[in-house]
Amino acid sequence: MADAIDFYFDFSSPYGYFASTRIDALAAKYGRSIDWHPLALGVIFKATGSAPLTTLPMKGDYSIHDIERTARFHGIDYRLPPTFPIATQIASRGMLWVQATHGDAQAIAFAQAIFRALFVDGIHVGEPENVARIATAVGLDAAALIDAAGSDAIKAQFKDSISAAMARGVFGSPFIIVDGESFWGFDRFDQIEALLKNGTI
Amino acid sequence: MADAIDFYFDFSSPYGYFASTRIDALAAKYGRSIDWHPLALGVIFKATGSAPLTTLPMKGDYSIHDIERTARFHGIDYRLPPTFPIATQIASRGMLWVQATHGDAQAIAFAQAIFRALFVDGIHVGEPENVARIATAVGLDAAALIDAAGSDAIKAQFKDSISAAMARGVFGSPFIIVDGESFWGFDRFDQIEALLKNGTI
């Protein structure tokens, strides 16, 4: 089987959420699997001198509109969260714990539930009690997940994972690497599909 | 006839060049005309705290690769210019003079020749002698164009035109406004076409 596709995202990224709703089906169509990698864009932005898209002058107002329009255009459920952007490290570190203890399928189910809670139901997934509720809903041990998400071991693992991503050139969300080829943005799915289909781009 | 589509671009923007190669055919398909508006992104970036894409940390290297790949994907002639990015105000102000004195068709022919010189033939179109040569090649009075491009009147007109664009929310290139709806980026052409086709998006 061909190598897995690397899918990097921040739970607070709307375009990352859009990608999360489509990437598994796209990969499955071409017999590929996906490795999901949560990021903390705040850490990366400190290194690159960037800032959350929706907070940038002019670009911010445009992007809020573009995100809603893009969701409609692609038929994806979406509502601007009442508090946005938010820090989502607890969910990200919780996901690493689920990957290590329960495997990828449950980790992806948890990630999809976090994305949906934030971008469809408007739940503040930066709050541990909300992350715990979502964990319970997808059949995980919420107390164990929250404990692990606050542990030094998982914090170190998350930091290393972000450094490793940056060493591969990852600077935004969604960021997808297929066979060494890097793609930034939900609007590169057409090019990703061409590469998966033709083996070259 | 429906209102013209506003097409904003900087001559030094590769994605703006890509848009320039496709926008007339797209508009014609739906019986629309295009108003071409050259910008100086440097002026806008001063206001928004941004910088040319290819000069940004991490994003710069990615974008140089993405630009080449996007050109290939869409079948557009492209080569990274040897000197890049460059200031292209002489060509922009020259275009305003062509619009005023010769009309839109000749101004667009001049603009397309400038884009092609820069992004296909690698000519430094920031140099007045190169702009003059291109003007001559498309049948314009090169000396008159260069004179006008350096005149206070055209400089003031260009400044006002950029201010008017910013007042409409324009912050990048390409930036396209159709019936009050704003689109940033060559990768929004699918959404622009949907709006032109359906009257809504």
Side-chain angles (χ1 to χ4, degrees), chain A residues 48 57-59 62 65-66 69-70 72-73 166 169-171 181-184 187-188 190-191 194 201, chain B residues 48 57-59 62 65-66 69-70 72-73 166 169-171 181-184 187-188 190-191 194 201:
Chain A
T48 59
M58 300 185 75
K59 217 177 266 193
Y62 170 82
H65 182 71
D66 181 67
R69 186 174 59 201
T70 297
R72 266 198 318 275
F73 182 71
M166 290 181 70
V170 175
F171 58 80
E181 194 74 18
S182 297
F183 300 91
W184 172 45
D187 34 33
R188 287 294 174 272
D190 53 355
Q191 294 190 23
I201 181 144
Chain B
T48 60
M58 299 183 76
K59 218 177 265 192
Y62 170 81
H65 183 71
D66 181 68
R69 187 175 58 203
T70 297
R72 264 198 320 275
F73 182 71
M166 289 182 71
V170 175
F171 58 81
E181 194 75 20
S182 296
F183 300 90
W184 173 44
D187 33 33
R188 286 295 174 272
D190 52 355
Q191 296 190 22
I201 181 145

